[in-house]
Amino acid sequence: MVSTPIPAVLQARLERRSARRRYAEWSTTLNETFDHLYVAEGRDESVALLDLAANLTERLAELHTAAWGREDDAGGRSMAESLTSQAALLRQVAATERAVIGTITWPDCTTPLGCEHTAELRLWTVLAHTSAPGKRAVYLNRLRALAAEHLGERASEVLAVLAEVEEHRATGTTRRAARPQNMLPRVLIGAVLALIALVAIVPGLDGLGRVVLLVAVLAAAYVALCVYVGVRGRSQEVGR
């Protein structure tokens, strides 16, 4: 028996749908990882979370073009490139935290004057020798501005998120206000249930009319949910 090959267009569509589904799943896990950073108990836990965030970001970088296309920024960098740079920055920050807790040694900066990115390299060294959360937040924000000059705003934005984490730690607060999760699906489900109830009591419709109206309501809800999943999966702001 000869199997019928799947048309190339359909195959590409199925692969893109699969890529977007995995992208959304990994994005959700990445968001949760950043949330855990806010309440991490100690630098060692923070390092582990930063490593996990870097790994997840690398996965998103590998998958992004297949799921959403290049999506170049103003400097011509694809989103995959920006995500790869984000992962590298996350690993760099993790390294500074390892230096703070003494698991690695970070030598004093000896970069000669005139070397490319001298100010940035020196600031990384300062960060690696700084444990106070408030000061680390200041340095991370400065590094974000410097990194943006050669990596782009999209890539460097992750440093602003980590600066916010340090600012939160500086307050001494052990809890963070919960970020709303899946709010749209909940609202959507409630609206669909309400519309179904209305369909049942709308006067002047026969059985077929009610069925047609019900199908239209469910189809609209499905489209709205698909749009939400796509947009949420593409979000790189980790909900902050």
Side-chain angles (χ1 to χ4, degrees):
M1 180 177 179
V2 179
S3 60
T4 303
I6 300 177
V9 174
L10 178 57
Q11 181 67 35
R13 185 175 300 174
L14 292 173
E15 291 175 354
R16 183 169 61 251
R17 183 179 300 174
S18 174
R20 289 182 176 183
R21 183 174 61 252
R22 283 179 288 151
Y23 194 97
E25 292 171 354
W26 290 342
S27 293
T28 297
T29 305
L30 180 60
N31 289 340
E32 293 170 350
T33 301
F34 276 104
D35 282 342
H36 292 324
L37 270 171
Y38 278 81
V39 292
E41 297 181 359
R43 294 288 174 188
D44 52 347
E45 182 181 354
S46 178
V47 166
L49 290 168
L50 286 168
D51 286 341
L52 175 58
N55 290 337
L56 289 166
T57 304
E58 285 177 343
R59 290 185 183 182
L60 293 178
E62 294 169 358
L63 197 59
H64 190 279
T65 302
W68 305 107
R70 282 185 54 87
E71 294 191 324
D72 291 353
D73 65 8
R77 307 174 190 86
S78 69
M79 178 60 87
E81 292 177 88
S82 297
L83 288 169
T84 299
S85 296
Q86 279 191 11
L89 290 172
L90 286 165
R91 294 196 188 284
Q92 184 79 339
V93 175
T96 68
E97 296 218 17
R98 286 188 171 92
V100 167
I101 60 179
T103 56
I104 66 170
T105 300
W106 195 298
D108 292 333
C109 183
T110 57
T111 305
L113 292 175
C115 179
E116 189 177 15
H117 310 310
T118 297
E120 184 179 347
L121 292 172
R122 290 182 174 177
L123 199 50
W124 280 114
T125 300
V126 173
L127 185 66
H129 291 86
T130 302
S131 60
K135 291 183 178 179
R136 287 182 65 86
V138 172
Y139 298 145
L140 283 166
N141 276 320
R142 291 179 184 173
L143 282 166
R144 186 204 65 78
L146 292 171
E149 295 177 3
H150 60 96
L151 296 178
E153 291 289 343
R154 288 193 309 199
S156 64
E157 185 62 26
V158 71
L159 295 178
V161 175
L162 297 181
E164 183 182 318
V165 170
E166 294 289 2
E167 289 169 355
H168 177 77
R169 289 174 179 166
T171 66
T173 305
T174 57
R175 297 178 58 188
R176 181 177 185 240
R179 177 164 50 86
Q181 298 285 342
N182 301 324
M183 184 59 68
L184 180 57
R186 293 176 185 176
V187 173
L188 184 60
I189 291 171
V192 170
L193 292 176
L195 287 172
I196 291 175
L198 286 174
V199 169
I201 63 175
V202 170
L205 288 178
D206 57 14
L208 179 60
R210 294 183 193 280
V211 170
V212 171
L213 185 56
L214 178 60
V215 169
V217 169
L218 294 176
Y222 176 77
V223 170
L225 185 59
C226 287
V227 171
Y228 165 77
V229 170
V231 172
R232 185 170 183 264
R234 298 171 75 175
S235 173
Q236 293 306 310
E237 295 297 325
V238 293
R240 313 203 188 284

